[in-house]
Each structure stands twice: as C-alpha cells, then as structure tokens.
Amino acid sequence: MEEVKPDVRALAFARQALKNLFMKPATTSYPFEPASYPERMRGHVELVAEDCIGCGLCMRSCPPGAIRVDRQEGIWSINRFDCVQCESCVNACPKKCLKMAAGYTQPETEKAEERFEILKKQEK
Amino acid sequence: MAKRSIVPFGPQHPVLPEPVHLDLVLEDETVVGAIPSIGFIHRGLEKLVEKKDFKQYVYIAERVCGICSCGHGMGYCESVERVMGIEIPRRAEYLRTIWVEMSRVHSHLLWLGLLADAMGFESLFMECWRLREKILDMFDRTTGGRIIFSVNCVGGVLKDMDGAMLRAIRETVDQMEQELEPIMTTFIKDYSVQLRLRGLGILSREQAILQGAVGPMLRGSGVEYDTRMLGYAAYGDLDMEPIVGTDGDAYARCEVRAREIVQSFNLIREAIDKIPQGPISVPVKGNPQGEYFMRIEQPRGEAIYYTKGNGTKFLDRFRLRTPTTSNIPPMVEMLKGCQLGDVPLLILTIDPCISCTER
Ligand code: SF4
Ligand code: SF4
C-alpha cells in the first residue's frame, strides 16, 4: 500500500459547492435576456452592394467557395450554409465593402443562395 | 483458471463523445490486453492541400481540432513561414503565444471538467466549465470567435490586440487564478479524488519513453520534456520550466494538467508585460519551395507539422501528427492490469482527441 499524503482533505469542494448554491446563475437566460455580442464577433458576412466593383477577389479567396460573383448579370451571391465565417473575403476585398457583422443568421429550411445586385451604377 | 473473454469498447461510449474502439481482452474483470482501432471519422483534411492554396489552407488546418485550433493554425503557418524563410514580426509571435496559452487554459479546464464528470463529481465538473467560459469570452472579444479564431495567417496574425484588450485579458487571468483555487485544491488534495485516481493506470518512466508518450502523459511519468522549451514563437523570451509529475498514474496526469493552467496564467501575464509594439504581419511573396518539420507543444502534447512545397501555390504534402496519435500506444500499455470499470476513466486521462488523430 502506498503512503497517504499528509495534506489530504475531506470534502475539499464543500465550501465552493455551498457558495454556488446561493450565487446567481452564471448563464444568461436567453431569450428572456438579450444575448450580447462583442464588437469583433464573426457572425455573418454583410455586403454593401453599392460599393462592390465585382472584382471577384472575395470569390477567389473564399476557402469553401461560398461566394459567387457574376459580372455579366451583376449578381453577388453567397451561400450562407457553405460559409465558415473565416473572414478571408473581408480581408481580400479591395473596396472594403464586405464586413463581418455580429449575430447569427436565421435557420432556414432550404439551402438557398442570398443574392445582391451589384454594378447598377455602371449600367446606367 | 481465469476465463478469457473479449469485450468491445466503443466506438460509442457514454463517457467519451469521441469514437475510438478497443477490443479489451479480459481475464475475469482484469484487462490483459487492448487492441485499438480508429478510422471512424476520417475527413481527409491533409489531402486538401492539393485543392486549396497554401494561404487558404490555414483555415483548414485550424479546423482539424476544435480545442487546439489556434495551435494547429500556428503550427502550420510557422512551418510554411520557415520553408519560405519569412521572419514574422515579434509582436505577431507574442500575440500567437498569448492565444495559444489561452487555448491551453481552455483545453485543460475542459479536460478537468470531463475528468470530474467521469468520476461522478458533478459540481466540480460544472465549476470547471463555468470558469472555462471566461476564457472563451476573452477569445470572443479578441478574435471574434469562441472556438475557431481565424487569426493566424502566413506572415503573421490578422488581428491586433489593443491596450484595453490586453488589460482585460490580464484582469480575467488574475480573477480566474483566484477562482481556480478551490478547483485546484479539490483535484490535488481531496480525499475522494485521490482515492479514485491514485495508483490507477501507472505508466512507468521507461515505458512512457519507449512507447513514445507526449505531453502531460509523458511529464506525468516524470520525464522533463516540453516542446515549448525549444523557444518557438515567443517562448524563447519567456520564463518557463516543464511541469513534471512523479508517479505516472492518473493522479499525476491530473496534477500536471492542473498545474499547467497556473503556468499558462504566468506565461500570459509575462507575455503581456513584454509584448513589443510594431507591425503584426509581413507581406508574403512567392510560393513555398522546400520542406520543413515543425514541432509545437499543444495542450495534449507535442504535435508535428511537416510541409513540403514545390514552388507552386499548392503544397506537395502536409502531414500532421497529433498528440493523441502518439499517446495511443502508451494508453494500451497502461490499460494492462487495470479493472474493466476503470477503462473509461483511464482512456480519458490521455485526453483523447480522436477527430484530430484521424484528421
Ligand atoms: S467568411 Fe470565409 S467562408 Fe464565409 S464567405 Fe467569406 S471567405 Fe467565404
Ligand atoms: S465584395 Fe469586394 S472583393 Fe468581392 S467582388 Fe465586390 S469589391 Fe470585389
């Protein structure tokens, strides 16, 4: 048998366990309280369609290939189910018209692409 | 004569959410041998270097594991940077170090919680995970993600931390250190914890070296070896000594991990004090040509990143050996002689991460 160390304590956690009984919950009771998001949170990609020049750099930098830019049709589209929120497109965009915004997107029943019309000014 | 039988363990088991399968050879209730098999969740991430260019691959390397994600990103980037001969700014190295050390705190607290849960100590489990939440909040604030940070890039880091953020991390660390006190006391001194862990699954120093154990598993058996001592990133400037256990049992592994949390707190504080001003990344030109073999210390042990570039933007080969891969043979060794009822707890003490093992 091995020796028992002298500093062995019985019920070492009892005090903390009792304290926890009377503390307020550590969690936020969402949805009754609003969830708070930090400023840098990578929730979803947002496009300012007016500034986009359709260069396609975001499409090329996106690892899962979630973005599609079609200059002919003037469409910038994103498949939100493919996006992994890596922020690579935001860093690649020369016009700084993409940004990562806080908050998650809503659940959906279909894997649809979200489409934005770009290059409207040039057409006129 | 004892009756021999084979009991299958896993791939689905209540104590382990990860799919590892063992064929346990029993003599009555005593384990005399174990045959591990993995391969249930292979994802083929290494193969993807042929499809994604070396800059995009950082995001895939990070997704090898959900817990040491920052370390995998950093290990990959450092190996590519060394192939290309890029020297990254000191500030970037410090930032990487801070994030990786925070990941270690997060990983060890998670593991301590799981261990408490496996012992049936539910309130201790909750307490560990409550504390871990604070470090996740700091990740969220500094990088924008709670699990996958996406801050590493070839040539440095993508995000800087301002003075307010560094101060907030320091305050969180100070506060966490105080709150960790009852948890540490319980894991290290509590009678029931000792009764459960002491003398269980002993891995001798010789066997640990022979079987190639890494990380807390190796240090728990008394081997003073920590890859951070090689001085990659900012570790060369920081003051650290490997934390070593003596007995090589489950208790020693638990103690090593618990004390490493405090060590990480000290490293974070030191890095915050010493962090230099300056740029956080350098521009990267050209493509990698050549090979490099990078070793870093992940929370679970030493991980190896082998990169081979051929002068195009797609790498020829990327190989990642994760700590759990090396810890499976010593685990099989230490299972011999234990009771069937102790097997789940003992598997847990290697801190298995099967999804990184299979990548
Ligand atoms: S955040 Fe990443 S995955 Fe999502 S669209 Fe941008 S580049 Fe693609
Ligand atoms: S969002 Fe930016 S990167 Fe993408 S096409 Fe428009 S301008 Fe180019």
Side-chain angles (χ1 to χ4, degrees):
Chain A
M1 277 305 287
E2 61 171 30
E3 53 175 316
V4 178
K5 288 232 167 153
D7 57 352
V8 174
R9 290 193 205 160
L11 298 175
F13 197 67
R15 236 181 99 195
Q16 184 66 31
L18 276 175
K19 219 164 108 189
N20 285 353
L21 263 185
F22 298 102
M23 266 184 1
K24 72 175 180 41
T27 47
T28 311
S29 58
Y30 182 81
F32 305 108
E33 280 174 47
S36 64
Y37 300 122
E39 204 182 310
R40 284 192 177 177
M41 180 189 175
R42 303 192 313 271
H44 61 277
V45 179
E46 261 181 19
L47 171 76
V48 182
E50 296 82 64
D51 296 347
C52 174
I53 53 167
C55 65
L57 284 178
C58 51
M59 172 169 73
R60 274 197 270 153
S61 79
C62 176
I67 299 177
R68 204 167 51 83
V69 184
D70 193 330
R71 282 182 73 98
Q72 248 81 47
E73 288 181 38
I75 296 289
W76 185 98
S77 60
I78 179 168
N79 185 343
R80 301 234 180 249
F81 285 91
D82 281 352
C83 171
V84 294
Q85 279 94 13
C86 66
E87 212 174 1
S88 168
C89 52
V90 178
N91 297 325
C93 178
K95 299 294 287 179
K96 301 276 164 267
C97 58
L98 284 174
K99 82 172 207 293
M100 293 304 291
Y104 301 106
T105 46
Q106 294 293 318
E108 306 218 17
T109 50
E110 262 173 42
K111 283 193 174 183
E113 277 192 334
E114 203 169 308
R115 292 158 75 98
F116 296 86
E117 280 190 26
I118 53 170
L119 306 171
K120 273 186 281 191
K121 269 178 277 172
Q122 280 98 319
E123 274 165 24
K124 267 181 222 159
Chain B
M1 234 228 32
K3 194 167 171 273
R4 276 211 170 196
S5 49
I6 293 181
V7 173
F9 176 94
Q12 300 301 331
H13 190 276
V15 81
L16 282 180
E18 303 219 36
V20 61
H21 174 84
L22 288 171
D23 281 315
L24 298 170
V25 185
L26 302 182
E27 260 176 19
D28 290 340
E29 289 267 311
T30 313
V31 180
V32 291
I35 305 157
S37 49
I38 55 169
F40 298 94
I41 40 169
H42 176 63
R43 291 169 289 167
L45 296 183
E46 282 178 2
K47 180 82 177 155
L48 275 177
V49 281
E50 295 165 18
K51 293 266 171 56
K52 305 285 168 192
D53 72 47
F54 73 96
K55 287 181 188 165
Q56 284 181 342
Y57 194 79
V58 183
Y59 300 108
I60 296 164
E62 283 183 328
R63 281 164 176 80
V64 167
C65 180
I67 303 195
C68 12
S69 135
C70 185
H72 285 315
M74 171 176 127
Y76 170 75
C77 289
E78 294 230 349
S79 67
V80 175
E81 282 154 10
R82 281 166 164 85
V83 169
M84 300 177 74
I86 300 170
E87 184 143 345
I88 69 163
R90 281 309 275 165
R91 189 174 175 87
E93 293 188 330
Y94 270 84
L95 289 171
R96 281 181 182 174
T97 308
I98 294 174
W99 276 314
V100 167
E101 282 309 314
M102 282 162 72
S103 303
R104 193 179 314 276
V105 173
H106 147 54
S107 170
H108 283 352
L109 276 173
L110 177 117
W111 180 82
L112 286 175
L114 289 177
L115 178 75
D117 186 43
M119 293 191 294
F121 206 149
E122 291 299 318
S123 50
L124 187 57
F125 158 57
M126 298 280 179
E127 183 74 7
C128 291
W129 282 37
R130 180 181 71 81
L131 205 55
R132 169 177 162 259
E133 210 56 32
K134 290 195 196 285
I135 211 96
L136 292 186
D137 286 347
M138 280 329 290
F139 284 144
D140 211 1
R141 183 164 164 200
T142 54
T143 69
R146 284 161 60 85
I147 300 292
I148 307 278
F149 309 153
S150 297
V151 284
N152 284 304
C153 65
V154 177
V157 289
L158 291 167
K159 283 183 182 152
D160 201 354
M161 286 198 241
D162 57 19
M165 277 181 192
L166 290 174
R167 268 195 304 282
I169 293 183
R170 222 199 138 96
E171 277 162 23
T172 311
V173 163
D174 289 345
Q175 194 196 354
M176 280 178 74
E177 191 164 20
Q178 275 178 11
E179 292 186 29
L180 186 70
E181 183 58 38
I183 297 180
M184 286 281 277
T185 316
T186 313
F187 276 110
I188 294 179
K189 295 184 182 163
D190 189 73
Y191 175 71
S192 46
V193 174
Q194 297 219 6
L195 203 62
R196 186 76 186 94
L197 298 182
R198 269 202 190 270
L200 194 68
I202 296 179
L203 184 71
S204 67
R205 190 189 152 91
E206 291 69 38
Q207 279 296 338
I209 297 172
L210 196 68
Q211 304 283 348
V214 292
M217 183 102 171
L218 181 67
R219 292 193 285 278
S221 294
V223 183
E224 208 172 291
Y225 179 77
D226 192 319
T227 323
R228 283 177 285 176
M229 301 300 282
L230 295 176
Y232 62 89
Y235 289 111
D237 295 356
L238 305 178
D239 187 25
M240 69 161 282
E241 284 276 307
I243 286 180
V244 187
T246 45
D247 300 345
D249 55 359
Y251 174 80
R253 296 192 271 279
C254 166
E255 192 192 1
V256 166
R257 289 202 179 90
R259 288 181 30 217
E260 276 187 4
I261 298 180
V262 180
Q263 180 192 38
S264 291
F265 285 157
N266 293 335
L267 285 173
I268 294 171
R269 275 192 287 251
E270 200 184 338
I272 291 177
D273 288 343
K274 288 188 179 167
I275 190 166
Q277 293 299 328
I280 55 164
S281 62
V282 288
V284 176
K285 291 201 186 72
N287 294 317
Q289 166 111 46
E291 51 186 346
Y292 198 82
F293 192 83
M294 178 80 202
R295 294 188 289 164
I296 72 165
E297 184 78 16
Q298 289 279 27
R300 293 176 169 84
E302 182 190 68
I304 290 174
Y305 303 82
Y306 169 74
T307 315
K308 183 167 178 224
N310 53 6
T312 68
K313 63 178 183 169
F314 300 103
L315 295 175
D316 253 359
R317 180 81 168 102
F318 171 63
R319 168 91 174 100
L320 164 56
R321 197 213 62 196
T322 57
T324 309
T325 321
S326 343
N327 273 338
I328 286 179
M331 173 187 89
V332 169
E333 186 59 36
M334 103 198 159
L335 284 178
K336 288 178 189 159
C338 78
Q339 296 293 303
L340 177 62
D342 293 334
V343 171
L345 186 84
L346 280 177
I347 295 180
L348 198 72
T349 61
I350 75 162
D351 198 358
C353 179
I354 305 299
S355 62
C356 6
T357 308
E358 300 180 8
R359 306 174 296 283

